Amino acid sequence: MKNPIAALPIPLLANAPLGRGSDSAGSAWVLSAMAVAAQASPQAEDSLIVRRVWAGREPDFYASTPSPDGRYLTEVDWTTGDLALIDLVTGELRHVTDKGPWEDSYSYAQSAVFSPDGRRIAYTWFNDEVDGYEIWTIDPDGSEPRVLLRHEPDVAYLQIEDWSLDEANLLVQVRRTDGTTELALVSARDGSVQVLKTPFGQDYAGMAAFSPDGRYVAYDQPSREGALDSDIYALAVDGGRELQLLSGPSDDRLMGWTRDGGSILYYSDRELTQGIWRLPITEGLAVGAPELVRSDVWRLFPLGFSREAYFFGVTVEQPQVYTATVDIPAGRILSPPTPVQEVSESWSAAGDWSPDGRYLAYVTNPFFRSNRLVIRAVTGDDTREIPLNIRNIRLLRWAPDSKAVFVVARGDDPNPALFRVDLTTGQVEEVLAKHGEWDLVRSDFSPDGRTLYLLRGGFPGETRIIARDMRSGEEDEIAVVGWVGSLSVSPDGRTLAVIEIDRSTDQSRLLTIPAAGGEPRELHRTDDMWALEVVAGLPWTPDGRYVLAVGGEATRKVLVKIPKTGGEPEEIGELPFSIDWRHVRLHPDGTRIAFNAGDSKGEVWMIQNIPGMSGTKGGRSAR
């Protein structure tokens, strides 16, 4: 990966002591100061300062904005789902909300922004009590929480972009259940909504921000529906004109307005390198040529302004789909695991091999845009991407004819559903909506695709295994067992393998159950309920003689095979200990595996002395 300040010699100015980060996130905290020569003009070369203020694991740039004083960043602590603040001086992670563990509540925070005076934070909140998204405000110390905009049935998602300088309005993207997105003002006083632009179509705006005088909103959006490159626009808040500020073959992403309102800051690849640019603006119109502020800044994610600086995130590493060759009979992994793409690029997940063995399918999300389904030939000479207007993809399986894939994801409804993606047309169709207590994530198809085996009920009680006919919708109960951590159908379609977990005894069992119904048969039992860690997958070998699983300890994970006739697990080989054991898939010829592994790591940087932005107040735009 290219470092955001890598190209030029950089004199080290100072190093602050290392702070102590969140142990639960495994964070390493760094505070340093560096002077960088800008490649725009001698004057900028003398004045521009870039500092790295944080580095560590699991950064949620999607939810991060700086406080006006530059001391804190908003964050979501995904160990609980709480809104949190990162102290950029001490490295401490402090919760703002206190919802309790996931077992008590499935509510969670997402996008957030400080008020211009720094006294309040507005944030998106998924409220599991109403099964939908709301907007709340709260003091940074966690006091005075207040619901500003309650959930509406036709709203699928809310994303907060900015808070106006006069503190009257929030700028919000509203995703409707029909799949369209609106840009709207939400009153910070009473939560009333005024739509500014509708619709955006199936894509979100990448970023949106108020001008300092509040008269305009700038935003970027894909140049066409499903495109990866973006253009930048300005929209008059009073309902007047909308003007295109930047277009063409380059990919232009808004970063915000400078304090004087005389220009916008944006991120672009227009000079065959990714860098930060400034465009002069008057009355919502571009009035001059773009000026390069800093070149060679790679994979930037805009976070916003404090009073004195602009903050951005840089992705260093993200979880990926890995592949490796294996010799199952000999019990060996033959090649080191290889990621399907550069680890510093966007994440990839949910890899699965096509039934004919010719392709690997997985999901990725380039530059925090909409999800993409990638179909890659195993020979490496053909790759295709299909835009997906669905999110939170939890499971991917090929159709038996290799002409489509099925995914469990969220569409316009907050609940996960089963979707079919046609690989010829790219059309995404919902084929089964969640209802009752279905667990679609731990489901599997019969080899002919006619039957879907579902779980109903579960944690912490008993689970009913249901066979659903995909044509008629008829359902039959196959068996009743304890809480099931995984389910998989044998290659001949006659047998189900499940991992049953008993929390009362801390035991887990690998069971086989006749697909036509019947009594479960125990193949293996362990006194450690997490000793066999495969939640979605649990692949069988092509000959049906073995079931694969991931075993081992927290710091050492191994791929194991368990005979269908029963017995102790046999080790095949060691896997990365950061493996996501929910996605392990075996190629139809039995010689290759695909699995998820890796950590999410990133850095936060700040830039000072950008022309036109001194003395800012914080938020998405310089104020």
Side-chain angles (χ1 to χ4, degrees):
M1 165 190 177
K2 294 209 175 194
N3 189 291
I5 56 172
L8 299 175
I10 303 168
L12 182 65
L13 296 184
N15 282 323
L18 292 178
R20 186 173 63 185
S22 166
D23 292 336
S24 64
S27 299
W29 304 91
V30 181
L31 186 64
S32 63
M34 296 182 180
V36 182
Q39 299 180 5
S41 66
Q43 181 179 3
E45 207 170 285
D46 293 336
S47 62
L48 198 67
I49 297 176
V50 178
R51 297 176 181 174
R52 184 177 65 177
V53 295
W54 181 89
R57 292 178 59 188
E58 302 181 12
D60 189 1
F61 295 147
Y62 181 70
S64 295
T65 53
S67 60
D69 61 7
R71 175 71 182 262
Y72 301 99
L73 276 180
T74 58
E75 173 69 281
V76 177
D77 181 358
W78 286 111
T79 62
T80 63
D82 279 299
L83 177 68
L85 293 178
I86 297 174
D87 188 320
L88 296 176
V89 174
T90 68
E92 294 177 342
L93 182 72
R94 173 174 61 81
H95 283 194
V96 178
T97 60
D98 185 15
K99 57 169 282 291
W102 290 112
E103 291 82 0
D104 295 343
S105 170
Y106 195 67
S107 298
Y108 53 87
Q110 289 202 326
S111 57
V113 63
F114 277 89
S115 62
D117 62 8
R119 296 180 179 178
R120 298 285 283 177
I121 300 173
Y123 59 101
T124 301
W125 185 249
F126 178 80
N127 188 341
D128 68 349
E129 294 181 358
V130 299
D131 202 23
Y133 290 93
E134 301 176 330
I135 292 179
W136 287 64
T137 62
I138 195 170
D139 287 354
D141 64 2
S143 63
E144 302 297 328
R146 172 195 170 206
V147 59
L148 183 63
L149 182 64
R150 296 191 179 277
H151 173 62
E152 295 291 340
D154 66 338
V155 172
Y157 183 64
L158 298 164
Q159 179 172 311
I160 304 172
E161 295 290 341
D162 202 1
W163 200 322
S164 62
L165 180 60
D166 61 8
E167 303 196 357
N169 294 297
L170 299 174
L171 183 60
V172 178
Q173 292 194 65
V174 182
R175 182 76 162 186
R176 298 289 177 182
T177 53
D178 64 3
T180 60
T181 300
E182 301 167 346
L183 196 60
L185 301 182
V186 175
S187 170
R189 181 180 60 84
D190 59 16
S192 58
V193 178
Q194 174 191 343
V195 176
L196 296 179
K197 176 178 171 59
T198 181
F200 273 94
Q202 297 296 329
D203 285 302
Y204 289 92
M207 183 178 183
F210 286 111
S211 61
D213 60 12
R215 296 173 58 202
Y216 293 93
V217 165
Y219 64 91
D220 65 71
Q221 71 175 109
S223 59
R224 62 188 183 283
E225 191 165 315
L228 293 179
D229 63 298
S230 291
D231 299 328
I232 299 179
Y233 298 80
L235 177 68
V237 173
D238 63 6
R241 59 186 178 175
E242 179 184 35
L243 300 165
Q244 191 170 41
L245 300 179
L246 290 162
S247 63
S250 59
D251 183 17
D252 302 316
R253 311 284 179 128
L254 179 69
M255 295 174 65
W257 296 77
T258 56
R259 178 184 183 274
D260 58 11
S263 58
I264 61 167
L265 210 60
Y266 68 101
Y267 179 57
S268 179
D269 60 1
R270 60 182 48 237
E271 289 292 332
L272 302 181
T273 179
Q274 294 181 339
I276 299 171
W277 294 73
R278 188 166 66 100
L279 179 69
I281 303 291
T282 298
E283 296 295 326
L285 292 170
V287 294
E291 173 191 349
L292 179 62
V293 175
R294 177 71 177 97
S295 66
D296 203 31
V297 182
W298 295 84
R299 299 183 181 94
L300 175 153
F301 188 81
L303 303 181
F305 290 92
S306 70
R307 296 188 185 98
E308 302 296 336
Y310 188 86
F311 287 75
F312 64 90
V314 176
T315 300
V316 176
E317 180 180 332
Q318 294 202 62
Q320 302 293 340
V321 174
Y322 285 75
T323 62
T325 56
V326 295
D327 185 337
I328 300 295
R332 292 185 299 166
I333 295 179
L334 302 179
S335 67
T338 303
V340 295
Q341 61 186 26
E342 170 62 42
V343 297
S344 59
E345 294 180 5
S346 58
W347 55 260
S348 59
D352 192 24
W353 308 97
S354 61
D356 59 17
R358 297 172 58 194
Y359 298 97
L360 176 69
Y362 57 91
V363 179
T364 187
N365 188 307
F367 206 87
F368 299 88
R369 284 296 193 191
S370 59
N371 290 323
R372 258 63 177 173
L373 171 66
V374 179
I375 308 296
R376 194 179 83 172
V378 296
T379 57
D381 56 3
D382 182 28
T383 300
R384 180 187 175 201
E385 291 191 6
I386 299 175
L388 300 178
N389 59 337
I390 49 180
R391 62 187 188 279
N392 294 101
I393 295 172
R394 305 286 301 280
L395 182 73
L396 185 152
R397 292 290 183 268
W398 282 82
D401 59 7
S402 296
K403 296 180 180 179
V405 299
F406 291 91
V407 294
V408 176
R410 290 181 179 176
D412 298 320
D413 190 288
N415 294 310
L418 181 68
F419 296 86
R420 181 183 185 273
V421 183
D422 188 300
L423 300 185
T424 301
T425 65
Q427 181 179 357
V428 180
E429 175 190 8
E430 182 179 293
V431 295
L432 184 62
K434 179 182 178 180
H435 73 80
E437 296 181 335
W438 282 353
D439 188 341
L440 293 173
V441 175
R442 296 171 178 85
S443 60
D444 199 15
F445 284 97
S446 61
D448 60 11
R450 296 180 180 179
T451 304
L452 178 65
Y453 294 92
L454 296 156
L455 305 179
R456 179 173 291 151
F459 183 83
E462 67 181 16
T463 301
R464 299 180 181 275
I465 302 176
I466 307 295
R468 179 183 174 88
D469 189 299
M470 293 299 292
R471 295 178 178 177
S472 67
E474 295 181 357
E475 297 180 1
D476 293 317
E477 184 175 293
I478 301 301
V480 179
V481 294
W483 182 57
V484 172
S486 182
L487 178 149
S488 183
V489 185
S490 63
D492 61 10
R494 297 179 179 179
T495 308
L496 308 182
V498 301
I499 290 181
E500 180 192 62
I501 297 174
D502 188 342
R503 294 183 63 88
S504 64
T505 62
D506 285 344
Q507 292 183 331
S508 63
R509 300 192 299 162
L510 175 62
L511 308 175
T512 56
I513 303 170
E519 289 299 315
R521 176 171 179 263
E522 181 179 308
L523 301 187
H524 177 69
R525 179 190 294 261
T526 173
D527 291 332
D528 181 355
M529 65 181 176
W530 301 116
L532 298 177
E533 298 180 328
V534 178
V535 173
L538 199 69
W540 294 69
T541 54
D543 58 12
R545 295 178 58 193
Y546 295 93
V547 178
L548 302 187
V550 176
E553 302 174 350
T555 58
R556 184 178 184 269
K557 297 297 181 184
V558 293
L559 184 67
V560 299
K561 60 181 181 179
I562 302 172
K564 181 184 176 181
T565 55
E568 292 297 313
E570 302 173 29
E571 184 172 321
I572 297 173
E574 189 167 348
L575 296 170
F577 73 87
S578 59
I579 183 175
D580 181 349
W581 33 264
R582 291 171 296 181
H583 298 281
V584 178
R585 304 298 291 166
L586 183 65
H587 190 275
D589 67 9
T591 65
R592 280 169 281 193
I593 58 171
F595 57 91
N596 287 10
D599 293 314
S600 179
K601 298 178 182 179
E603 300 172 344
V604 175
W605 294 77
M606 61 184 289
I607 306 178
Q608 292 177 295
N609 296 346
I610 293 177
M613 64 167 285
S614 60
T616 61
K617 269 196 174 255
R620 290 293 195 181
S621 291
R623 298 187 279 230

